Amino acid sequence: MDRTTLGAGVRRTGMQTTAAVRGLSCTACGESAALSERRCPDCGAVLVVDFDADAVESAAAAHPFPAEATVSIDEGATPLVAVPELADELGVERVAIKDEGRNPTGSLADRKFALAVAAAIQEGADRVGTPSTGNGAQSAAAYAARAGIDSKGVVPSRCPFLNKAMVNVHGGDMYVVEGRYEDAVEAFGEGDEAFTSVAPGHPFRTAGATALALELLADRESTPDAVVHPTGHGETLVGLQRGFSLAVDAGLADAVPRIYAAQPDACAPIAAAAADGAAEPVPVDHPDTIVGPLEVPDPAAGRAAIDAIDASGGDGVAVEDKRILQAAVDGCEIGPEVGATGGTAVAGVRALADDGAFDAEDEVVLVNPVAGSKEADLLRSHLMSLGM
Ligand SMILES: [Zn+2]
């Protein structure tokens, strides 16, 4: 296949954005930054895309790039599946799962790489790269291939075979680093500088989650009261809060839902900091959770994520791996398939309900970031450990 064909329509003549995009700004010091910046030039913190609320009438209108500069495999427009049995169990009005596993490569990462790869191409990149726990590398490879450029993913040895295989299938270069995610981060870029980084914390990755927030509101008649998201790098939490705030400013929502970060307790830097009222996460020295996609001990957007949770009136919740796996199996029986990653939201919302986080009138949305069948082996071994 001629891999340049699909990318040929994407402009490479300087950054093209829609009228709704005002620019980038820093999540820590608030300074404006040029669209080409990837970290704040003043303080080094994570940047976000600023949208003009007056120019945003719908989720689609908040897309950062014009159609001719877009890289897409039809990501987004995922279903919001009602799970009435879970609502009954928790004692709330309504529970629905936003099933991001239905994206092209089976994860929420597709929303992020659609934008980050498009931004990279507009900067003239012919190769993008990211460290990843697995799904991000797969998605980056898929979107780079779609755009007709090269990619590299740097993953830890514990990354699932499925992700490694699909990076190769999409024609990406894959580097497997012995150890865990932080070892992959350390190795990222060593001895190979010939790529444009689309690593976690990239402002257009975060903008992918902003689009998710707007789509969530467009899916419903009323604004949800709470959103529970299983987080790793924290950038989705930041993008969600930005999106909900933008919707309020644009008159598309009544209020910003409370945002809850759910993490496995063996690697819960963001959830623990939010629950403790700390200003930023403390990196975890010895992370050890079975939920590989969420084993991110030093999250790139950690501090910004805490600010986003606090601004929304939300909180953090950390749950044991055993409860996560059981919640995933339970979730599969009553709703859309969830794996260990999505099960973290189910286990998290149960723990939050036990702590009295919700009222009987609350409408709660859980985000399932990864297709359940991608993590079938974890669920199967959990059943086997129970003698099933
Ligand atoms: Zn700054």
Side-chain angles (χ1 to χ4, degrees):
M1 187 180 78
D2 179 3
R3 288 183 55 201
T4 62
T5 311
L6 286 163
V10 179
R11 285 166 179 269
R12 297 181 187 230
T13 52
M15 190 73 81
Q16 305 266 317
T17 57
T18 63
V21 174
R22 287 193 307 210
L24 303 182
S25 66
C26 176
T27 53
C29 73
E31 280 297 313
S32 300
L35 284 166
S36 56
E37 298 288 351
R38 295 296 167 253
R39 289 282 172 157
C40 176
D42 288 344
C43 75
V46 170
L47 296 169
V48 287
V49 178
D50 278 331
F51 292 94
D52 182 354
D54 293 336
V56 174
E57 295 133 16
S58 68
H63 202 280
F65 303 117
E68 69 272 18
T70 293
V71 179
S72 177
I73 322 176
D74 240 0
E75 61 288 336
T78 57
L80 184 66
V81 184
V83 190
E85 280 187 52
L86 189 54
D88 290 347
E89 177 194 323
L90 303 175
V92 299
E93 180 69 26
R94 191 168 187 269
V95 173
I97 295 181
K98 182 67 169 167
D99 192 4
E100 291 294 298
R102 316 264 186 118
N103 276 300
T105 75
S107 86
L108 195 164
D110 292 339
R111 293 182 186 269
K112 301 178 178 182
F113 287 102
L115 302 187
V117 170
I121 284 176
Q122 291 190 55
E123 293 166 53
D126 54 17
R127 187 171 182 243
V128 292
T130 187
S132 169
T133 53
N135 292 303
Q138 180 183 346
S139 182
Y143 280 82
R146 177 75 164 171
I149 63 169
D150 295 326
S151 70
K152 76 164 193 171
V154 182
V155 300
S157 46
R158 70 162 299 181
C159 168
F161 168 76
L162 182 150
N163 296 134
K164 293 173 185 164
M166 292 312 293
V167 168
N168 289 146
V169 168
H170 289 302
D173 302 328
M174 188 178 50
Y175 299 83
V176 180
V177 179
E178 192 59 41
R180 293 174 179 268
Y181 178 65
E182 287 305 295
D183 300 300
V185 172
E186 212 169 291
F188 181 60
E190 271 180 12
D192 173 15
E193 305 292 332
F195 67 93
T196 298
S197 175
V198 286
H202 189 293
F204 286 95
R205 285 179 59 149
T206 304
T210 297
L212 169 61
L214 292 166
E215 188 181 299
L216 255 177
L217 298 171
D219 281 347
R220 326 167 48 87
E221 287 166 16
S222 56
T223 306
D225 298 287
V227 175
V228 182
H229 179 67
T231 197
H233 308 289
E235 62 188 3
T236 300
L237 301 169
V238 177
L240 284 172
Q241 194 269 336
R242 303 281 302 179
F244 291 134
S245 297
L246 178 65
V248 171
D249 292 345
L252 300 171
D254 312 325
V256 175
R258 307 191 301 278
I259 297 171
Y260 294 95
Q263 294 193 298
D265 68 353
C267 186
I270 292 174
D276 293 348
E280 59 188 310
V282 177
V284 176
D285 284 337
H286 302 288
D288 185 19
T289 170
I290 200 163
V291 193
L294 301 183
E295 196 181 84
V296 180
D298 189 8
R303 180 183 162 164
I306 299 298
D307 288 345
I309 293 165
D310 289 348
S312 77
D315 205 345
V317 60
V319 273
E320 294 167 17
D321 280 5
K322 222 190 301 180
R323 286 178 189 270
I324 288 170
L325 293 171
Q326 188 56 48
V329 171
D330 294 346
C332 288
E333 287 183 6
I334 57 175
E337 279 188 351
V338 292
T341 308
T344 304
V346 180
V349 80
R350 282 174 161 171
L352 287 164
D354 285 347
D355 285 350
F358 307 117
D359 293 332
E361 299 80 31
D362 275 353
E363 298 192 18
V364 183
V365 169
L366 314 185
V367 179
N368 175 34
V370 180
S373 54
K374 275 190 164 186
E375 299 173 340
D377 52 338
L378 298 178
L379 271 50
R380 184 76 188 103
S381 52
H382 170 69
L383 291 180
M384 287 174 74
S385 77
L386 299 175
M388 294 179 202

Short mmCIF file of all heavy atoms in Angstrom, two decimals, residues 38-94:
data_model
loop_
_atom_site.label_atom_id
_atom_site.label_comp_id
_atom_site.label_asym_id
_atom_site.label_seq_id
_atom_site.Cartn_x
_atom_site.Cartn_y
_atom_site.Cartn_z
N ARG A 38 5.03 22.41 23.44
CA ARG A 38 4.50 21.18 24.02
C ARG A 38 4.57 21.17 25.54
O ARG A 38 3.96 20.33 26.21
CB ARG A 38 5.24 19.96 23.44
CG ARG A 38 4.98 19.80 21.93
CD ARG A 38 3.50 19.53 21.66
NE ARG A 38 3.11 19.67 20.26
CZ ARG A 38 2.39 20.68 19.76
NH1 ARG A 38 1.98 21.65 20.55
NH2 ARG A 38 2.07 20.73 18.49
N ARG A 39 5.36 22.07 26.12
CA ARG A 39 5.39 22.33 27.56
C ARG A 39 5.49 23.83 27.75
O ARG A 39 5.97 24.53 26.87
CB ARG A 39 6.62 21.65 28.22
CG ARG A 39 6.51 20.14 28.29
CD ARG A 39 5.61 19.74 29.43
NE ARG A 39 5.33 18.29 29.41
CZ ARG A 39 4.96 17.60 30.48
NH1 ARG A 39 4.83 18.20 31.64
NH2 ARG A 39 4.70 16.32 30.38
N CYS A 40 5.07 24.33 28.91
CA CYS A 40 5.12 25.77 29.14
C CYS A 40 6.56 26.28 29.06
O CYS A 40 7.42 25.79 29.79
CB CYS A 40 4.53 26.10 30.51
SG CYS A 40 4.67 27.86 30.92
N PRO A 41 6.84 27.26 28.18
CA PRO A 41 8.20 27.78 28.08
C PRO A 41 8.64 28.47 29.37
O PRO A 41 9.83 28.56 29.65
CB PRO A 41 8.12 28.82 26.94
CG PRO A 41 6.83 28.57 26.25
CD PRO A 41 5.92 27.91 27.25
N ASP A 42 7.70 28.95 30.16
CA ASP A 42 8.04 29.66 31.40
C ASP A 42 8.31 28.73 32.57
O ASP A 42 9.26 28.91 33.31
CB ASP A 42 6.92 30.63 31.78
CG ASP A 42 6.87 31.83 30.85
OD1 ASP A 42 7.87 32.04 30.13
OD2 ASP A 42 5.84 32.52 30.82
N CYS A 43 7.43 27.72 32.76
CA CYS A 43 7.56 26.91 33.98
C CYS A 43 7.64 25.41 33.72
O CYS A 43 7.83 24.63 34.65
CB CYS A 43 6.40 27.22 34.94
SG CYS A 43 4.83 26.51 34.45
N GLY A 44 7.47 24.98 32.46
CA GLY A 44 7.64 23.55 32.15
C GLY A 44 6.42 22.70 32.40
O GLY A 44 6.44 21.49 32.19
N ALA A 45 5.32 23.32 32.86
CA ALA A 45 4.11 22.54 33.17
C ALA A 45 3.34 22.16 31.90
O ALA A 45 3.68 22.59 30.79
CB ALA A 45 3.21 23.32 34.12
N VAL A 46 2.32 21.36 32.09
CA VAL A 46 1.50 20.86 30.98
C VAL A 46 0.67 22.00 30.39
O VAL A 46 0.12 22.83 31.11
CB VAL A 46 0.57 19.74 31.52
CG1 VAL A 46 -0.47 19.34 30.49
CG2 VAL A 46 1.40 18.54 31.95
N LEU A 47 0.59 22.02 29.06
CA LEU A 47 -0.21 23.02 28.33
C LEU A 47 -1.54 22.41 27.90
O LEU A 47 -1.64 21.19 27.72
CB LEU A 47 0.54 23.49 27.09
CG LEU A 47 1.85 24.23 27.30
CD1 LEU A 47 2.59 24.38 25.96
CD2 LEU A 47 1.61 25.61 27.93
N VAL A 48 -2.53 23.27 27.73
CA VAL A 48 -3.83 22.82 27.20
C VAL A 48 -4.26 23.74 26.06
O VAL A 48 -3.81 24.89 25.97
CB VAL A 48 -4.94 22.81 28.29
CG1 VAL A 48 -4.74 21.66 29.25
CG2 VAL A 48 -5.00 24.15 29.02
N VAL A 49 -5.13 23.21 25.20
CA VAL A 49 -5.68 24.00 24.11
C VAL A 49 -6.83 24.85 24.67
O VAL A 49 -7.71 24.32 25.36
CB VAL A 49 -6.22 23.09 22.98
CG1 VAL A 49 -6.84 23.92 21.86
CG2 VAL A 49 -5.10 22.21 22.43
N ASP A 50 -6.78 26.15 24.39
CA ASP A 50 -7.88 27.04 24.80
C ASP A 50 -8.87 27.18 23.66
O ASP A 50 -8.49 27.57 22.55
CB ASP A 50 -7.32 28.44 25.13
CG ASP A 50 -6.75 28.49 26.52
OD1 ASP A 50 -7.22 27.74 27.38
OD2 ASP A 50 -5.82 29.30 26.73
N PHE A 51 -10.12 26.87 23.96
CA PHE A 51 -11.18 27.04 22.97
C PHE A 51 -11.98 28.29 23.29
O PHE A 51 -12.13 28.67 24.45
CB PHE A 51 -12.10 25.82 22.96
CG PHE A 51 -11.45 24.57 22.46
CD1 PHE A 51 -10.88 23.65 23.33
CD2 PHE A 51 -11.40 24.29 21.09
CE1 PHE A 51 -10.27 22.50 22.87
CE2 PHE A 51 -10.80 23.14 20.63
CZ PHE A 51 -10.24 22.24 21.51
N ASP A 52 -12.52 28.92 22.26
CA ASP A 52 -13.36 30.10 22.41
C ASP A 52 -14.81 29.62 22.57
O ASP A 52 -15.40 29.08 21.63
CB ASP A 52 -13.21 30.98 21.17
CG ASP A 52 -14.02 32.26 21.28
OD1 ASP A 52 -14.79 32.40 22.26
OD2 ASP A 52 -13.88 33.11 20.39
N ALA A 53 -15.36 29.80 23.79
CA ALA A 53 -16.72 29.30 24.06
C ALA A 53 -17.75 29.88 23.10
O ALA A 53 -18.71 29.21 22.73
CB ALA A 53 -17.11 29.61 25.50
N ASP A 54 -17.52 31.13 22.65
CA ASP A 54 -18.48 31.77 21.74
C ASP A 54 -18.53 31.06 20.39
O ASP A 54 -19.51 31.17 19.66
CB ASP A 54 -18.12 33.25 21.52
CG ASP A 54 -18.32 34.05 22.79
OD1 ASP A 54 -19.12 33.60 23.64
OD2 ASP A 54 -17.67 35.09 22.95
N ALA A 55 -17.42 30.36 20.05
CA ALA A 55 -17.36 29.69 18.75
C ALA A 55 -17.73 28.21 18.84
O ALA A 55 -17.67 27.47 17.87
CB ALA A 55 -15.96 29.84 18.15
N VAL A 56 -18.10 27.77 20.06
CA VAL A 56 -18.41 26.35 20.28
C VAL A 56 -19.90 26.17 20.47
O VAL A 56 -20.45 26.53 21.49
CB VAL A 56 -17.66 25.81 21.52
CG1 VAL A 56 -18.09 24.38 21.82
CG2 VAL A 56 -16.16 25.85 21.29
N GLU A 57 -20.57 25.67 19.45
CA GLU A 57 -22.01 25.43 19.59
C GLU A 57 -22.31 23.96 19.83
O GLU A 57 -23.38 23.59 20.27
CB GLU A 57 -22.75 25.87 18.32
CG GLU A 57 -22.66 27.35 18.05
CD GLU A 57 -22.29 27.63 16.61
OE1 GLU A 57 -22.39 26.72 15.79
OE2 GLU A 57 -21.88 28.77 16.33
N SER A 58 -21.35 23.10 19.51
CA SER A 58 -21.56 21.66 19.66
C SER A 58 -20.20 21.01 19.85
O SER A 58 -19.17 21.66 19.73
CB SER A 58 -22.21 21.10 18.40
OG SER A 58 -21.29 21.18 17.33
N ALA A 59 -20.23 19.71 20.15
CA ALA A 59 -18.98 18.98 20.34
C ALA A 59 -18.11 19.08 19.09
O ALA A 59 -16.90 19.28 19.16
CB ALA A 59 -19.28 17.51 20.66
N ALA A 60 -18.73 18.96 17.93
CA ALA A 60 -17.97 18.97 16.68
C ALA A 60 -17.26 20.31 16.48
O ALA A 60 -16.16 20.37 15.94
CB ALA A 60 -18.88 18.67 15.50
N ALA A 61 -17.91 21.39 16.93
CA ALA A 61 -17.34 22.71 16.72
C ALA A 61 -16.08 22.95 17.54
O ALA A 61 -15.34 23.88 17.29
CB ALA A 61 -18.38 23.78 17.04
N ALA A 62 -15.86 22.10 18.56
CA ALA A 62 -14.67 22.28 19.39
C ALA A 62 -13.50 21.45 18.89
O ALA A 62 -12.49 21.32 19.55
CB ALA A 62 -14.98 21.90 20.83
N HIS A 63 -13.63 20.87 17.70
CA HIS A 63 -12.50 20.13 17.14
C HIS A 63 -11.39 21.12 16.79
O HIS A 63 -11.66 22.15 16.20
CB HIS A 63 -12.96 19.35 15.89
CG HIS A 63 -12.06 18.20 15.58
ND1 HIS A 63 -10.87 18.37 14.93
CD2 HIS A 63 -12.16 16.88 15.84
CE1 HIS A 63 -10.27 17.20 14.80
NE2 HIS A 63 -11.03 16.28 15.36
N PRO A 64 -10.14 20.82 17.15
CA PRO A 64 -9.09 21.82 16.97
C PRO A 64 -8.71 22.09 15.52
O PRO A 64 -8.23 23.17 15.21
CB PRO A 64 -7.89 21.24 17.72
CG PRO A 64 -8.39 20.10 18.50
CD PRO A 64 -9.66 19.64 17.86
N PHE A 65 -8.89 21.08 14.64
CA PHE A 65 -8.36 21.23 13.28
C PHE A 65 -9.46 21.25 12.24
O PHE A 65 -10.46 20.55 12.37
CB PHE A 65 -7.38 20.10 12.96
CG PHE A 65 -6.24 20.01 13.93
CD1 PHE A 65 -6.09 18.86 14.71
CD2 PHE A 65 -5.35 21.05 14.09
CE1 PHE A 65 -5.05 18.78 15.64
CE2 PHE A 65 -4.33 20.97 15.01
CZ PHE A 65 -4.17 19.83 15.78
N PRO A 66 -9.26 22.03 11.17
CA PRO A 66 -10.23 21.99 10.07
C PRO A 66 -10.20 20.63 9.38
O PRO A 66 -9.21 19.89 9.51
CB PRO A 66 -9.74 23.09 9.12
CG PRO A 66 -8.31 23.31 9.46
CD PRO A 66 -8.14 22.96 10.91
N ALA A 67 -11.27 20.30 8.68
CA ALA A 67 -11.42 18.96 8.11
C ALA A 67 -10.22 18.55 7.25
O ALA A 67 -9.75 17.41 7.32
CB ALA A 67 -12.71 18.89 7.28
N GLU A 68 -9.67 19.48 6.47
CA GLU A 68 -8.58 19.11 5.56
C GLU A 68 -7.28 18.83 6.30
O GLU A 68 -6.34 18.30 5.71
CB GLU A 68 -8.39 20.18 4.48
CG GLU A 68 -7.84 21.51 4.97
CD GLU A 68 -8.92 22.47 5.43
OE1 GLU A 68 -10.06 22.02 5.70
OE2 GLU A 68 -8.63 23.68 5.56
N ALA A 69 -7.19 19.19 7.58
CA ALA A 69 -5.97 18.94 8.34
C ALA A 69 -6.19 17.87 9.41
O ALA A 69 -5.45 17.77 10.38
CB ALA A 69 -5.49 20.24 8.98
N THR A 70 -7.24 17.08 9.23
CA THR A 70 -7.60 16.08 10.23
C THR A 70 -7.06 14.70 9.87
O THR A 70 -6.98 14.35 8.70
CB THR A 70 -9.14 16.01 10.33
OG1 THR A 70 -9.63 17.24 10.85
CG2 THR A 70 -9.61 14.86 11.21
N VAL A 71 -6.65 13.94 10.89
CA VAL A 71 -6.31 12.53 10.70
C VAL A 71 -7.36 11.73 11.48
O VAL A 71 -7.49 11.90 12.69
CB VAL A 71 -4.90 12.20 11.25
CG1 VAL A 71 -4.60 10.72 11.06
CG2 VAL A 71 -3.85 13.06 10.56
N SER A 72 -8.11 10.90 10.79
CA SER A 72 -9.21 10.22 11.47
C SER A 72 -9.38 8.79 10.97
O SER A 72 -9.16 8.50 9.80
CB SER A 72 -10.51 11.00 11.24
OG SER A 72 -11.59 10.30 11.84
N ILE A 73 -9.76 7.92 11.89
CA ILE A 73 -10.23 6.57 11.52
C ILE A 73 -11.63 6.42 12.11
O ILE A 73 -12.01 5.37 12.58
CB ILE A 73 -9.27 5.46 12.02
CG1 ILE A 73 -7.79 5.87 11.90
CG2 ILE A 73 -9.51 4.15 11.25
CD1 ILE A 73 -6.78 4.85 12.45
N ASP A 74 -12.34 7.54 12.16
CA ASP A 74 -13.70 7.57 12.70
C ASP A 74 -13.76 7.27 14.20
O ASP A 74 -14.64 6.53 14.66
CB ASP A 74 -14.60 6.58 11.93
CG ASP A 74 -15.77 7.31 11.27
OD1 ASP A 74 -15.85 8.54 11.44
OD2 ASP A 74 -16.58 6.66 10.62
N GLU A 75 -12.81 7.84 14.93
CA GLU A 75 -12.82 7.70 16.39
C GLU A 75 -13.97 8.53 16.98
O GLU A 75 -14.49 9.42 16.33
CB GLU A 75 -11.47 8.18 16.97
CG GLU A 75 -11.13 9.63 16.69
CD GLU A 75 -10.76 9.92 15.25
OE1 GLU A 75 -10.33 8.98 14.55
OE2 GLU A 75 -10.93 11.06 14.81
N GLY A 76 -14.30 8.24 18.24
CA GLY A 76 -15.36 8.99 18.92
C GLY A 76 -16.74 8.48 18.57
O GLY A 76 -16.89 7.42 17.96
N ALA A 77 -17.77 9.27 18.97
CA ALA A 77 -19.17 8.87 18.78
C ALA A 77 -19.41 7.48 19.38
O ALA A 77 -20.12 6.65 18.82
CB ALA A 77 -19.57 8.91 17.31
N THR A 78 -18.82 7.25 20.55
CA THR A 78 -18.96 5.96 21.24
C THR A 78 -20.28 5.93 22.02
O THR A 78 -20.79 6.99 22.41
CB THR A 78 -17.80 5.73 22.22
OG1 THR A 78 -17.76 6.82 23.14
CG2 THR A 78 -16.47 5.64 21.47
N PRO A 79 -20.82 4.74 22.26
CA PRO A 79 -22.12 4.69 22.96
C PRO A 79 -22.01 4.96 24.46
O PRO A 79 -20.97 4.71 25.08
CB PRO A 79 -22.58 3.24 22.72
CG PRO A 79 -21.34 2.48 22.47
CD PRO A 79 -20.35 3.42 21.84
N LEU A 80 -23.10 5.52 24.99
CA LEU A 80 -23.24 5.71 26.43
C LEU A 80 -24.31 4.71 26.87
O LEU A 80 -25.49 4.88 26.58
CB LEU A 80 -23.69 7.15 26.72
CG LEU A 80 -23.81 7.56 28.17
CD1 LEU A 80 -22.45 7.55 28.86
CD2 LEU A 80 -24.41 8.97 28.27
N VAL A 81 -23.87 3.63 27.51
CA VAL A 81 -24.74 2.49 27.78
C VAL A 81 -25.28 2.55 29.20
O VAL A 81 -24.51 2.53 30.18
CB VAL A 81 -23.97 1.16 27.58
CG1 VAL A 81 -24.90 -0.03 27.75
CG2 VAL A 81 -23.28 1.13 26.21
N ALA A 82 -26.59 2.62 29.35
CA ALA A 82 -27.20 2.63 30.68
C ALA A 82 -27.00 1.28 31.37
O ALA A 82 -27.12 0.23 30.73
CB ALA A 82 -28.69 2.94 30.56
N VAL A 83 -26.69 1.31 32.67
CA VAL A 83 -26.51 0.07 33.44
C VAL A 83 -27.39 0.16 34.68
O VAL A 83 -26.92 0.46 35.79
CB VAL A 83 -25.02 -0.13 33.84
CG1 VAL A 83 -24.82 -1.53 34.43
CG2 VAL A 83 -24.09 0.07 32.64
N PRO A 84 -28.70 -0.09 34.50
CA PRO A 84 -29.66 0.12 35.61
C PRO A 84 -29.38 -0.75 36.83
O PRO A 84 -29.62 -0.32 37.96
CB PRO A 84 -31.01 -0.22 34.97
CG PRO A 84 -30.73 -0.87 33.65
CD PRO A 84 -29.36 -0.44 33.23
N GLU A 85 -28.85 -1.97 36.61
CA GLU A 85 -28.56 -2.83 37.78
C GLU A 85 -27.50 -2.22 38.68
O GLU A 85 -27.56 -2.36 39.91
CB GLU A 85 -28.10 -4.22 37.31
CG GLU A 85 -29.25 -5.11 36.90
CD GLU A 85 -28.77 -6.54 36.61
OE1 GLU A 85 -28.08 -7.13 37.46
OE2 GLU A 85 -29.08 -7.03 35.51
N LEU A 86 -26.53 -1.54 38.07
CA LEU A 86 -25.49 -0.89 38.87
C LEU A 86 -26.05 0.33 39.60
O LEU A 86 -25.68 0.61 40.75
CB LEU A 86 -24.29 -0.52 37.98
CG LEU A 86 -23.02 -0.03 38.68
CD1 LEU A 86 -22.54 -1.02 39.75
CD2 LEU A 86 -21.90 0.23 37.67
N ALA A 87 -26.96 1.05 38.93
CA ALA A 87 -27.62 2.20 39.58
C ALA A 87 -28.38 1.73 40.82
O ALA A 87 -28.31 2.36 41.88
CB ALA A 87 -28.56 2.89 38.60
N ASP A 88 -29.09 0.60 40.70
CA ASP A 88 -29.82 0.05 41.85
C ASP A 88 -28.86 -0.32 42.97
O ASP A 88 -29.11 -0.04 44.14
CB ASP A 88 -30.61 -1.20 41.42
CG ASP A 88 -31.79 -0.85 40.52
OD1 ASP A 88 -32.13 0.35 40.45
OD2 ASP A 88 -32.35 -1.76 39.88
N GLU A 89 -27.76 -0.99 42.60
CA GLU A 89 -26.78 -1.42 43.62
C GLU A 89 -26.20 -0.22 44.36
O GLU A 89 -26.02 -0.26 45.59
CB GLU A 89 -25.65 -2.21 42.94
CG GLU A 89 -24.55 -2.65 43.90
CD GLU A 89 -23.28 -3.12 43.19
OE1 GLU A 89 -23.39 -3.76 42.12
OE2 GLU A 89 -22.19 -2.85 43.70
N LEU A 90 -25.90 0.86 43.63
CA LEU A 90 -25.26 2.03 44.24
C LEU A 90 -26.26 2.94 44.93
O LEU A 90 -25.87 3.81 45.72
CB LEU A 90 -24.50 2.83 43.18
CG LEU A 90 -23.42 2.10 42.37
CD1 LEU A 90 -22.87 3.02 41.29
CD2 LEU A 90 -22.31 1.60 43.28
N GLY A 91 -27.55 2.79 44.59
CA GLY A 91 -28.57 3.66 45.18
C GLY A 91 -28.57 5.05 44.56
O GLY A 91 -28.78 6.04 45.25
N VAL A 92 -28.33 5.13 43.25
CA VAL A 92 -28.38 6.41 42.55
C VAL A 92 -29.42 6.34 41.43
O VAL A 92 -29.90 5.26 41.09
CB VAL A 92 -27.00 6.81 41.96
CG1 VAL A 92 -25.97 6.95 43.07
CG2 VAL A 92 -26.53 5.80 40.90
N GLU A 93 -29.73 7.51 40.87
CA GLU A 93 -30.79 7.59 39.87
C GLU A 93 -30.44 6.85 38.57
O GLU A 93 -31.25 6.12 38.01
CB GLU A 93 -31.07 9.07 39.56
CG GLU A 93 -32.16 9.33 38.55
CD GLU A 93 -33.55 8.98 39.07
OE1 GLU A 93 -33.74 9.02 40.30
OE2 GLU A 93 -34.42 8.65 38.25
N ARG A 94 -29.19 7.06 38.13
CA ARG A 94 -28.83 6.51 36.83
C ARG A 94 -27.33 6.30 36.76
O ARG A 94 -26.55 7.12 37.25
CB ARG A 94 -29.26 7.50 35.72
CG ARG A 94 -29.18 6.94 34.30
CD ARG A 94 -29.91 7.87 33.32
NE ARG A 94 -29.99 7.25 31.99
CZ ARG A 94 -29.07 7.43 31.04
NH1 ARG A 94 -28.01 8.19 31.27
NH2 ARG A 94 -29.21 6.83 29.86
#
